[in-house]
Amino acid sequence: MTTDTFYSGLASTRSFDSLAAPEAFVPLPPDWHLCCTDIVNSTGLAAAGRYKTVNMIGAAVIAAMRNALEGEAFPYVFGGDGASFAVPPRHKDTAKQVLAGLRSWTEAEFGVSLRAAMLPMGWIRAEGLDVRIARYAVSEHADFAMFNGGGLAWAEAQMKAGAFEVPAAPHAAPPDLNGLSCRWSNTPARNGIILSVVAQPAPGTSPRAFARLSAELLDLASELAEDGHPVPDSGPKLRFPPSGLALEAQASRGKLPVILRKFYLFSHSLFAGLIFALKRPVGAFDPVHYLSVLKAHSDFRKFDDGLKMTLDCTPAISTRIRDRLQQAAGAGLVHFGLHEQDAAMVTCIVPSPVEDDHVHFVDGAGGGYTQAAANLAAAFGGGKNPG
């Protein structure tokens, strides 16, 4: 395995629970670069009812890089109000170009400021931290990267302080966001609560101690139906007009006027809605199969220098998760933030509706990870500070 093929050659696991163990992760090669993004004032945007926009921009970072690398596998993680990823040396310039263009695009198209930074691994390891990666295969067609080692959280803090900045490119062409979609309606909680969980090891906590705590939290979630997966078998609802249609039209309009793009997307969504309602294949597209893959390929839990989960949760399990985290925080093991809301949202990257490589990013619909991180920062004065 060479440095360029590090991630494509990395073995994957189908067991999410096994990722609680530190030995499931391997360090990034020393010549790779870590990239991170974050929306300025994401907490305020969520409070103003613009959290779907926040999620869409976070997913746009991943969509733009996937398209720029023409489908080549690379490690990334969706954070709700941003995304992070890592690239080998040969993709450094491409990543910088994509990030610079995204910064100008989000400001011009949505009036939203996006931070972006790129850090060499050498800087991170000089701080005594690391970025370690694992691949979690949700099927034979798709996987998600998991991160630990403390380096990603440190990089995000550096970005928010203005270090390692990738400047905006004011005259850049709009990013290629082919496949990015946000038309699904929010999915109401079936068990009473959509619980957003952000848990990070406190300074000085050993990887083994945090792994034990993570395993306990996953055990609590396993008492919920389907481990608390917030997407039902029937998938999210597609109501009309689709709630994210205007956002998707802005994101994908290219040189077309937004009104023409809206008309095209509405017509497309109307046809798709009919297919999903009838639940019968049309050509190579099988709506029942598509929805089963959508659920399987949804990242409702992840390791992102800590544990993040979006759970369809009963009040009793929510209380037990909070109590266990408060106990661990009292012992100095963890910093955590929780946020309860009544629905989840899904943002999608679908290169082709007839292939099974589509992926779906899950967050709480009422502030989700952004508000949970804000609660963490308010309680502990650090960690993943709010945008």
Side-chain angles (χ1 to χ4, degrees):
M1 188 189 306
T2 67
T3 185
D4 280 338
T5 61
F6 161 77
Y7 190 66
S8 61
L10 189 62
S12 60
T13 178
R14 293 295 297 271
S15 168
F16 187 83
D17 290 352
S18 70
L19 296 167
E23 57 268 22
F25 293 77
V26 297
L28 279 178
D31 54 356
W32 276 48
H33 284 73
L34 183 67
C35 304
C36 44
T37 63
D38 171 75
I39 293 172
V40 177
N41 191 32
S42 56
T43 308
L45 291 169
R50 298 187 68 190
Y51 201 52
K52 198 170 186 70
T53 302
V54 168
N55 267 215
M56 193 277 295
I57 292 173
V61 174
I62 298 168
M65 274 305 300
R66 279 173 58 118
N67 290 331
L69 299 186
E70 299 179 342
E72 180 180 329
F74 68 104
Y76 61 79
V77 62
F78 171 74
D81 62 350
S84 299
F85 60 91
V87 290
R90 65 191 176 95
H91 292 319
K92 173 186 173 183
D93 291 341
T94 299
K96 187 174 292 187
Q97 182 179 5
V98 167
L99 292 175
L102 281 166
R103 293 194 68 189
S104 61
W105 172 77
T106 59
E107 190 73 56
E109 201 68 51
F110 301 101
V112 172
S113 297
L114 182 71
R115 300 183 183 98
M118 175 181 287
L119 295 79
M121 281 303 304
W123 278 91
I124 295 169
R125 290 190 172 124
E127 294 292 322
L129 302 167
D130 205 352
V131 178
R132 298 170 60 85
I133 301 290
R135 289 184 80 166
Y136 171 51
V138 289
S139 77
E140 62 181 290
H141 302 287
D143 59 68
F144 293 104
M146 305 286 140
F147 290 73
N148 82 1
L152 181 52
W154 180 82
E156 291 174 350
Q158 293 297 303
M159 171 185 63
K160 291 181 180 182
F164 303 101
E165 179 184 16
V166 177
H171 303 295
D176 178 3
L177 300 178
N178 180 53
L180 179 64
S181 175
C182 52
R183 291 175 231 173
W184 297 110
S185 299
N186 293 342
T187 300
R190 305 184 300 283
N191 291 311
I193 296 167
I194 296 296
L195 181 67
S196 299
V197 180
V198 175
Q200 294 179 308
T205 298
S206 72
R208 187 62 58 190
F210 187 77
R212 287 194 293 269
L213 175 62
S214 297
E216 291 179 38
L217 296 173
L218 293 174
D219 282 344
L220 285 172
S222 72
E223 296 183 31
L224 298 164
E226 299 182 304
D227 298 319
H229 200 312
V231 179
D233 291 337
S234 58
K237 299 296 184 184
L238 188 61
R239 298 186 176 92
F240 290 91
S243 60
L245 185 141
L247 285 174
E248 188 175 340
Q250 282 183 273
S252 63
R253 66 188 177 98
K255 296 181 180 180
L256 289 176
V258 172
I259 188 65
L260 292 181
R261 187 63 181 157
K262 283 183 181 179
F263 178 77
Y264 168 79
L265 291 176
F266 181 83
S267 302
H268 185 273
S269 297
L270 192 62
F271 181 62
L274 180 63
I275 295 173
F276 282 117
L278 294 175
K279 299 181 180 179
R280 298 183 64 177
V282 175
F285 180 71
D286 182 343
V288 175
H289 175 73
Y290 179 90
L291 290 174
S292 71
V293 174
L294 186 157
K295 180 172 183 173
H297 290 190
S298 296
D299 72 334
F300 75 102
R301 53 189 182 173
K302 67 195 76 179
F303 284 95
D304 175 12
D305 265 358
L307 177 62
K308 287 183 175 180
M309 297 187 288
T310 301
L311 301 175
D312 192 316
C313 201
T314 63
I317 295 295
S318 177
T319 297
R320 289 171 64 190
I321 289 173
R322 184 183 296 274
D323 289 347
R324 181 64 190 97
L325 284 167
Q326 287 177 336
Q327 181 186 40
L333 294 177
V334 69
H335 292 169
F336 75 94
L338 304 175
H339 183 60
E340 295 183 353
Q341 57 247 284
D342 60 7
M345 68 168 63
V346 179
T347 307
C348 312
I349 297 179
V350 186
S352 168
V354 298
E355 301 292 339
D356 286 349
D357 59 348
H358 44 104
V359 293
H360 307 270
F361 305 117
V362 181
D363 199 356
Y369 290 134
T370 292
Q371 188 58 55
N375 294 339
L376 181 158
F380 298 97
K384 286 185 179 292
N385 300 320

